[in-house]
Every structure is written in structure tokens, then in C-alpha cells.
Amino acid sequence: MIYKILAVALLFITPFFAVILTKLFGLRKRGLLFTDLALVFYAVEAVWLSSLFFTHLILPAYLLLLALLAIGVTFFLLFRSKKAFGYKRFFKLFWRLGFLATLAFYLVELALIFLTA
């Protein structure tokens, strides 16, 4: 039960921790937002929680989600701008949409934890 409470608490603590690190180290000047740090934290937390509550890691499903997101971003950029494909724009869009996908993945994992365990 304590791990379930910790999992829900991490949902709210992670963005605050990322904001504090971003302001403390002045990462916004370098173009990094709190979402860039929170993506990494949520990904690590999702893998850690899946190792605690499930018999198999959810890491392959998460990597599949990111692969599909990369394909989707690539097609979006290719069809939207027919001139040239920019890697800088791709990585920026992929990383920012990756945060939303990771947050949604974390929420689904929390729902699975509370429904199955």
C-alpha cells in the first residue's frame, strides 16, 4: 500500500522537482524546460513501478510507444513542410510530445496498478 501512495505522490512531486532543478541551475537560459527533465524522471519512475507491481517490465511497451511517436512526428514534419526535414525541429517536437506520451503512459500505469493489485 505504501508503494501505491508513493506512486501517486511521485505524479505530483516530479514536476515540482523538475521546476526546482530548472530554476536552480538556470536551464531555461539553455532552452530546457521543466518538461524536458520531467520526461526522464517519469520514464525512470514508470520502469521502477512496473518492476514493483508487475511480473514483466513495461519497458518494451514504453519503447514501442516512443517508436510510434517518432514515426508519427516524422510523417507530420514531412507532410507539413515539404521543403526539408530538420533534425533539430524533429528532436525538439519529439522530446516535447514525448513528455505528454510519457505522462499519459504513467497515468495508465497508475490506473493498472490500482485496478489489478
Side-chain angles (χ1 to χ4, degrees):
M1 184 66 181
I2 291 178
Y3 287 127
K4 289 182 182 180
I5 294 170
L6 180 65
V8 173
L10 285 174
L11 178 66
F12 300 106
I13 292 172
T14 300
F16 291 124
F17 184 66
V19 167
I20 289 170
L21 285 178
T22 304
K23 289 188 182 207
L24 184 66
F25 292 113
L27 298 176
R28 190 163 178 90
K29 295 174 190 172
R30 296 185 181 133
L32 291 175
L33 302 175
F34 83 95
T35 57
D36 300 332
L37 294 177
L39 168 81
V40 176
F41 294 145
Y42 277 135
V44 170
E45 291 166 9
V47 171
W48 177 66
L49 286 176
S50 71
S51 70
L52 287 176
F53 289 103
F54 305 118
T55 56
H56 300 288
L57 285 179
I58 300 183
L59 183 63
Y62 177 66
L63 293 176
L64 180 65
L65 174 73
L66 288 182
L68 292 174
L69 178 68
I71 291 169
V73 168
T74 302
F75 282 132
F76 174 74
L77 288 176
L78 286 176
F79 290 130
R80 186 167 177 253
S81 63
K82 299 186 187 239
K83 296 180 235 175
F85 181 81
Y87 289 107
K88 183 177 179 181
R89 180 152 171 78
F90 168 78
F91 285 121
K92 186 174 183 178
L93 186 61
F94 173 72
W95 196 259
R96 302 284 160 83
L97 288 176
F99 168 73
L100 293 176
T102 303
L103 183 62
F105 187 82
Y106 189 80
L107 290 173
V108 167
E109 185 177 12
L110 278 179
L112 286 173
I113 287 170
F114 279 100
L115 290 176
T116 60

